[in-house]
Amino acid sequence: MIRIHNSLTGQKQELQPVEPGHVRMYSCGVTVYDFFHVGNARMLVVFDMVSRYLRHRGLRVTYVRNITDVDDKIINRAREAGVDWREHARKFTAAMHEDLDALGCMRPEKEPKASEYIDAMLRMIGQLVDNGYAYQASNGDVMYDVRKFAAYGKLSGRKLDELRAGARVEVDEAKRDPLDFVLWKSAKPGEPAWPSPWGEGRPGWHIECSAMSTQELGPHFDIHGGGLDLKFPHHENEIAQTCGASAAKFAEIWMHNGFLNIDNEKMSKSLGNFFTTREVLAKIKHPEVLRFFLLSSHYRGPMNYSPDQLELAEAGLNRLYTALRDVPVDAGVPATASAATDAFHAAMDDDFNTPEAIAVLQGLARELNSARSAGDPGKSARLAAELRSLSGALGLLRMAPEDWFRAGARAGGLSDGDIEARVAARLAARQARNWAESDRIRQELADAGVILEDKPGGATTWRRA
RNA sequence: GGCUAGGUGGCAGAAUGGUUAUGCAGCGGCCUGCAAAGCCGUCUAUGCCGGUUCGAUUCCGACCCUAGCCUCCA
């Protein structure tokens, strides 16, 4: 039984797919106006983990993650760059895929682009107008009439009056209520526009997700995810739209991942504490370090980004890969389930407790190290297969250990060949019991960021720190 | 002002009404020419004040502190 915290009720509930055995999930992807930042990366990795784990548990998963490619920010950036907005969006969509591949995020079953779903949006806006939930304001925009939707505020746990009382929004004369939001913006010169029954224009942000999720998954599906900051107003508005258009149940479970903070503050451009995933990837040994870091605390809590944290993540991965090192991958050895597998599943079944699941992996690594030093190759191979299988459910330990240890040509810049030549020279010195020379070479390599490990029997392995 | 989440050992981070994860760092031992890695052992913790209880870090209440949302935002 898989239990998931539902933001709608504030409680954990059992996942019972609307279609038995088939989980259909949607998450709000990124707006492709720039490289996505590490906060986006957290959301993307979290929901990739969710979809991977559900598949690992034998469920069929249809995962839909949209791409917002019609948006003010894209239009503005494209204008600044002097390129067509479509070209700007295409460029950053390609970059997004590169970074996601690096992070080990699988491609969702569908990645709808807003610009290709205008018809679906217009259809939904039409339904909302017909059902009395929307109106065309004096400025030509089509607005959602929040007062007509009785359940407005349910997801964010607030009443319309409370929301309005704290509202810092400027009162827009065209709106019937300050919280009314735009479904269709009437065209402005130089902006992308499509024809509609309400005149030329383009969609509001919120309607994009409602239309795309309904089109791809229908109005009633299992999981809707996104960052905590989307809870209000974006997801509240999605509920108002989808339910207003078809009286649907919409998503059974709403999942929200916590923020990734920097120096315990939310990252933002005004504070200048803003990192793109690309910048971070360039600084670390391997993208898997970032993925491990992002999964090392529970998805719902806040987490703090810092270089120290990334070092801890790298150390954690080193330990796991070390356990796997020198254990031959034997295709004939099945991943036998042990108590560790049960513990792993128990942790993950309880609202995707990845930190506890990783602790189980660490325990497995310890067992594996013990089995290897006890000279039990059968047990080692069995445990290694189990460790790989469980890690795979989190999208971790996807590399061959040797590739992991050789990754990260950082300071020093010695090639593999350079290193191996020095290792050979040191071996000769060792055989001559010339410890001074041996230690000199080892220190020389250490200064270049390469750590040597002598194995019993005379072999020496190396790794980049 | 309203609403929400959280305050765990040197750091990160889980869990739990009593036996107190996991990783990093530290300390002792084994191993090693010496290391590294690994293994074994080990030291530090539950914001503050009340209450419920045989017993609370865990439940309840007050307080202090932090972050977030109420505006585009993963």
Side-chain angles (χ1 to χ4, degrees):
Chain A
M1 180 172 93
I2 295 170
R3 298 173 77 239
I4 303 177
H5 178 93
N6 188 351
S7 299
L8 207 50
T9 60
Q11 300 192 321
K12 290 180 191 173
Q13 71 181 67
E14 185 180 351
L15 174 64
Q16 290 179 306
V18 176
E19 284 178 19
H22 179 197
V23 179
R24 291 172 303 145
M25 56 186 278
Y26 181 94
S27 77
C28 296
V30 300
T31 301
V32 285
Y33 67 102
D34 199 346
F35 298 115
F36 64 83
H37 56 69
V38 277
N40 292 304
R42 184 178 188 193
M43 170 260 144
L44 293 161
V45 166
V46 161
F47 290 102
D48 178 70
M49 172 276 291
V50 168
S51 76
R52 275 177 184 269
Y53 182 69
L54 296 177
R55 288 181 227 271
H56 170 84
R57 285 303 244 158
L59 292 157
R60 183 183 156 211
V61 175
T62 300
Y63 177 27
V64 179
R65 182 184 62 212
N66 76 291
I67 294 171
T68 297
D69 64 348
V70 184
D71 176 87
D72 288 341
K73 280 187 280 204
I74 296 170
I75 295 166
N76 293 337
R77 288 291 184 89
R79 189 175 289 147
E80 287 165 19
V83 298
D84 181 67
W85 65 274
R86 289 172 197 276
E87 194 187 323
H88 188 80
R90 255 197 304 275
K91 176 182 164 189
F92 285 103
T93 299
M96 176 190 81
H97 281 135
E98 281 176 26
D99 294 344
L100 280 170
D101 289 348
L103 284 169
C105 292
M106 302 194 302
R107 294 290 171 98
E109 273 63 29
K110 286 272 172 103
E111 277 192 297
K113 292 179 179 149
S115 63
E116 295 169 2
Y117 286 73
I118 303 292
D119 288 347
M121 295 174 205
L122 290 174
R123 217 174 303 131
M124 186 171 262
I125 295 168
Q127 288 166 333
L128 288 170
V129 171
D130 292 346
N131 294 344
Y133 289 110
Y135 60 94
Q136 186 161 27
S138 53
N139 62 2
D141 291 353
V142 181
M143 314 288 289
Y144 193 101
D145 193 344
V146 294
R147 285 176 301 180
K148 294 282 172 59
F149 188 71
Y152 196 82
K154 191 182 172 201
L155 178 65
S156 44
R158 274 170 285 212
K159 295 189 176 69
L160 212 42
D161 291 335
E162 292 170 352
L163 287 165
R164 213 178 277 125
R168 284 173 276 169
V169 283
E170 285 182 30
V171 178
D172 185 334
E173 292 302 322
K175 293 181 180 179
R176 291 181 185 170
D177 187 287
L179 292 165
D180 287 352
F181 56 92
V182 180
L183 297 168
W184 188 256
K185 298 182 192 191
S186 52
K188 294 185 182 63
E191 290 188 353
W194 288 262
S196 89
W198 306 280
E200 293 254 312
R202 61 187 170 95
W205 175 46
H206 308 295
I207 196 70
E208 296 183 358
C209 282
S210 281
M212 287 187 274
S213 64
T214 297
Q215 180 81 1
E216 293 302 334
L217 296 173
H220 185 202
F221 53 92
D222 302 301
I223 297 172
H224 190 128
L228 190 56
D229 49 352
L230 296 188
K231 196 169 176 180
F232 186 88
H234 182 58
H235 290 161
E236 197 74 70
N237 292 351
E238 274 192 63
I239 292 172
Q241 291 165 337
T242 301
C243 296
S246 69
K249 278 200 73 180
F250 205 21
E252 287 288 330
I253 296 175
W254 286 81
M255 291 178 69
H256 292 101
N257 65 276
F259 286 115
L260 182 68
N261 297 321
I262 294 181
D263 297 328
N264 294 312
E265 285 183 308
K266 182 178 170 176
M267 72 171 109
S268 74
K269 298 204 165 166
S270 54
L271 287 167
N273 57 356
F274 185 92
F275 297 102
T276 67
T277 301
R278 216 154 249 229
E279 289 174 287
V280 173
L281 291 181
K283 285 184 216 160
I284 58 182
K285 176 188 177 93
H286 187 277
E288 194 169 341
V289 172
L290 181 57
R291 184 178 179 98
F292 186 93
F293 162 67
L294 293 171
L295 294 177
S296 66
S297 70
H298 189 88
Y299 77 88
R300 275 194 285 124
M303 69 187 300
N304 204 34
Y305 171 90
S306 78
D308 289 355
Q309 297 302 320
L310 291 174
E311 276 180 35
L312 283 179
E314 186 179 324
L317 278 172
N318 266 336
R319 183 165 167 80
L320 294 177
Y321 273 117
T322 297
L324 247 23
R325 205 176 193 183
D326 302 328
V327 178
V329 179
D330 185 347
V333 177
T336 346
S338 71
T341 296
D342 292 342
F344 182 89
H345 287 163
M348 290 296 289
D349 286 354
D350 184 12
D351 200 27
F352 307 102
N353 192 333
T354 53
E356 200 172 331
I358 288 173
V360 172
L361 300 181
Q362 301 281 17
L364 215 38
R366 182 184 296 274
E367 264 193 272
L368 179 44
N369 288 332
S370 295
R372 189 178 35 204
S373 45
D376 188 341
K379 189 176 183 189
S380 298
R382 208 163 53 239
L383 289 169
E386 189 178 5
L387 178 55
R388 276 189 188 285
S389 164
L390 297 180
S391 301
L394 301 180
L396 295 173
L397 304 191
R398 306 185 313 279
M399 304 172 72
E402 279 316 305
D403 292 339
W404 164 262
F405 288 113
R406 290 176 183 223
R410 287 189 289 197
L414 292 178
S415 72
D416 290 9
D418 293 339
I419 294 167
E420 268 150 27
R422 283 167 173 75
V423 168
R426 176 166 170 277
L427 185 60
R430 291 188 73 213
Q431 279 164 349
R433 305 187 69 79
N434 183 350
W435 307 128
E437 174 65 2
S438 164
D439 291 350
R440 188 194 64 74
I441 295 171
R442 183 169 62 194
Q443 187 57 46
E444 182 191 1
L445 286 170
D447 293 343
V450 177
I451 296 163
L452 300 188
E453 291 165 3
D454 295 331
K455 302 283 170 163
T460 296
T461 58
W462 59 269
R463 62 189 164 93
R464 289 193 172 89

